[in-house]
Amino acid sequence: MGHTLVIDSIEAAGRSFAGGSTLAIAPVLKKFMVHFRRPSSYQGEYGFDWLRDEYIYPIKTVTHNNSGSPLTGKTPFCMDVGALKTEYKTTDVVNPISPYGKDYYPAWLSIFPHTTTAQFAHGSRMHRFGVTLDLEIEEIETLSSDATKITFESGNRNLIVTPSEINLQTLLGSKQTKSLGGSLTRTYYHSSGKVNIKSKDAPLAAHTEIKVFAQLGSQKEEVGKLMVYKNDVIPKAEIVVVNVITGSTSASLRSDYQFLFKNQSFNQALIRAEVTTDTNFDLTALSSNSDVAAFLSGYSSMSAETIRSAIETLYLKYGTHKPSVGGIDDSTNKKTYLFYTDISAGTINGICSLDIPTMTWGNHYVIFNSGLSSKRTVIHECGHSFSLPHVFSASLSPFDFYQGYTDNYMDYTWQRGSPSPSGGYYSSGDNKYKGKMYSLFKWQWPIIRSDRSLILTY
Ligand SMILES: [Zn+2]
């Protein structure tokens, strides 16, 4: 029968040749990109971030801007689209790519290295089985079942990808088309639990890429990338949890806060966050002191900020586990204080100290009665104490989002509506991620990791 030709040029593929004999022509590698995605069951167990379509394309409705003015039509959730694209395309990215001339934004993963103490003193068993991710195949041209393979090439031998190759046809399940606003669409196939990533035996001393190639016969194209955050420096956060008792009953904080700190939040920034002290601060037993008595008789008419400031002052004077030198918010203090109380402060769940002239976040926060059972409040306020602003703070956040539209710990659980007479805002609806806001964005990881309260040598 015929010969087999390998033809590189697309134009030549499928051309029929005159002259009687039929030539079998090698199929041409189809154009597509590969993206790593988080499983839908994600609850903050590791760091994973990617540039969501909704942040940069007008896909969804935003009811009001952050000044409370109504918006019409569909709006990207981020106001700094160009800067956000640049951030995900290039910042810390090793060998940025643009397959077939398309913009490519690699997803980011952060996992602890699984090591023996001899290999690395600050390893962890947290991700010893690795992390299993979803894959998305984005069509650039219509795909069909052929012999195309996807292969993964890790940039470090201690960063393991399993399997090392996958047949493309096993990833072409049900095709989905998503509108990106206007006439733009994205067509893709999503497959759950396809690839496992593990960091073992030695930490990553640099941000490390996992390259993704499409291969068919001798044709090979780089079509995707996963970036893995360097994990050779694991800062430690020490948290002092203080139950502030102001009456005959005392508050109870949700019971899983140690797990939250360690396994569902700051672990995403590769921080070992540990509750080192769990203690009571019983103000009723100190009420013979005039300043304590004044607080106990007056807190019901105080603002959240005044209560926070009073607790800080009283704890520095009478607290058992106060810093040995200086104040709680001094840079010499390497502990973070979580004060919780059954005092109510209107609708405020929690508050973190912030030095207004310098806009420096402090090292302590208070959780009020309405926030005691909220996972998000425990972490959100602690996020402030670790230098994170709200994602909708135009003056403090590197990227400005509309309030109430993301699943980030530092967003709000409600969408900002029109201004209210009290000086705040009405809600225009719940954040659709309310109850499952477990994300910290990749650009937030280095902000937390640089917080002055963290311990680098231990
Ligand atoms: Zn806040």
Side-chain angles (χ1 to χ4, degrees):
M1 289 287 290
H3 311 274
T4 299
L5 292 181
V6 175
I7 295 173
D8 285 324
S9 122
I10 292 163
E11 290 72 25
R15 181 187 294 167
S16 62
F17 288 76
S21 72
T22 304
L23 299 178
I25 295 168
V28 170
L29 179 64
K30 294 279 180 33
K31 294 177 181 173
F32 63 93
M33 296 192 283
V34 176
H35 305 287
F36 293 80
R37 293 292 179 257
R38 214 170 63 178
S40 57
S41 60
Y42 178 81
Q43 294 195 331
E45 301 91 339
Y46 48 87
F48 189 91
D49 188 33
W50 74 105
L51 182 56
R52 280 79 154 173
D53 287 333
E54 288 73 17
Y55 296 178
I56 58 169
Y57 294 109
I59 299 172
K60 299 269 173 68
T61 298
V62 174
T63 66
H64 295 74
N65 68 18
N66 290 343
S67 309
S69 301
L71 298 176
T72 52
K74 298 189 167 157
T75 310
F77 291 165
C78 184
M79 280 167 259
D80 306 309
V81 168
L84 195 67
K85 285 178 168 180
T86 302
E87 169 74 19
Y88 281 86
K89 209 186 293 184
T90 61
T91 301
D92 294 331
V93 174
V94 178
N95 302 319
I97 58 170
S98 49
Y100 306 106
K102 302 278 181 186
D103 285 340
Y104 188 87
Y105 308 98
W108 278 86
L109 173 70
S110 61
I111 47 176
F112 285 92
H114 182 220
T115 57
T116 63
T117 307
Q119 288 168 329
F120 177 54
H122 298 155
S124 168
R125 290 166 53 79
M126 199 182 300
H127 304 126
R128 64 191 181 280
F129 301 120
V131 158
T132 299
L133 300 173
D134 296 357
L135 288 177
E136 216 166 84
I137 306 299
E138 179 178 357
E139 274 193 354
I140 297 175
E141 61 182 326
T142 303
L143 300 176
S144 54
S145 291
D146 59 21
T148 301
K149 283 189 171 82
I150 292 171
T151 61
F152 305 103
E153 293 182 13
S154 171
N156 187 305
R157 66 191 175 90
N158 296 307
L159 183 65
I160 315 296
V161 189
T162 314
S164 59
E165 64 173 54
I166 299 176
N167 290 324
L168 175 66
Q169 57 183 355
T170 67
L171 301 175
L172 303 181
S174 65
K175 180 146 102 173
Q176 303 178 57
T177 300
K178 175 180 188 177
S179 169
L180 301 180
S183 59
L184 270 184
T185 58
R186 183 192 297 288
T187 304
Y188 63 96
Y189 300 85
H190 187 109
S191 302
S192 299
K194 286 296 172 186
V195 60
N196 182 276
I197 317 288
K198 196 180 295 183
S199 171
K200 61 189 272 264
D201 296 336
L204 304 169
H207 302 313
T208 302
E209 61 174 333
I210 292 172
K211 289 171 178 267
V212 184
F213 293 95
Q215 278 182 265
L216 182 61
S218 62
Q219 305 160 83
K220 182 174 178 180
E221 288 286 340
E222 190 175 1
V223 293
K225 185 192 299 287
L226 177 69
M227 285 302 308
V228 182
Y229 206 88
K230 69 196 287 284
N231 58 17
D232 64 333
V233 175
I234 307 293
K236 184 161 79 161
E238 295 188 345
I239 299 163
V240 178
V241 177
V242 184
N243 186 355
V244 181
I245 299 168
T246 57
S248 54
T249 58
S250 72
S252 41
L253 191 59
R254 56 176 305 121
S255 59
D256 59 354
Y257 54 88
Q258 302 215 21
F259 185 83
L260 276 175
F261 283 126
K262 199 169 179 167
N263 297 75
Q264 288 193 282
S265 56
F266 303 112
N267 52 307
Q268 296 175 46
L270 297 169
I271 289 165
R272 186 190 301 263
E274 286 179 354
V275 174
T276 55
T277 308
D278 213 328
T279 182
N280 287 337
F281 183 42
D282 188 350
L283 289 174
T284 64
L286 294 164
S287 61
S288 58
N289 300 288
S290 60
D291 49 359
V292 174
F295 175 71
L296 291 176
S297 63
Y299 67 72
S300 58
S301 57
M302 291 177 186
S303 70
E305 169 58 19
T306 306
I307 296 170
R308 180 209 60 71
S309 172
I311 290 174
E312 177 190 12
T313 304
L314 294 174
Y315 198 78
L316 258 187
K317 191 164 173 188
Y318 302 109
T320 316
H321 298 277
K322 66 184 178 188
S324 48
V325 287
I328 291 175
D329 287 353
D330 287 3
S331 294
T332 49
N333 174 29
K334 300 294 178 190
K335 290 185 195 299
T336 298
Y337 288 76
L338 187 185
F339 296 105
Y340 67 98
T341 171
D342 58 3
I343 295 175
S344 294
T347 58
I348 295 178
N349 295 327
I351 190 167
C352 180
S353 58
L354 174 67
D355 183 59
I356 298 294
T358 63
M359 297 313 276
T360 307
W361 294 95
N363 296 322
H364 73 283
Y365 62 107
V366 176
I367 297 180
F368 299 105
N369 194 53
S370 60
L372 292 170
S373 62
S374 164
K375 280 188 181 184
R376 182 190 150 278
T377 298
V378 172
I379 301 306
H380 175 98
E381 299 303 331
C382 196
H384 284 318
S385 86
F386 290 156
S387 302
L388 289 179
H390 293 141
V391 296
F392 52 85
S393 170
S395 58
L396 297 179
S397 178
F399 306 100
D400 196 11
F401 290 79
Y402 293 106
Q403 178 196 310
Y405 295 89
T406 77
D407 67 343
N408 196 276
Y409 270 117
M410 302 315 293
D411 202 345
Y412 272 6
T413 58
W414 53 280
Q415 298 168 357
R416 187 168 293 192
S418 53
S420 74
S422 66
Y425 296 90
Y426 293 113
S427 168
S428 70
D430 277 348
N431 185 323
K432 79 164 186 154
Y433 299 105
K434 183 179 179 178
K436 35 183 202 256
M437 296 166 69
Y438 294 110
S439 290
L440 290 170
F441 298 144
K442 184 267 168 186
W443 53 265
Q444 293 172 314
W445 303 346
I447 297 174
I448 310 173
R449 291 170 60 82
S450 307
D451 185 77
R452 64 203 168 112
S453 73
L454 299 181
I455 301 162
L456 294 172
T457 307
Y458 61 99

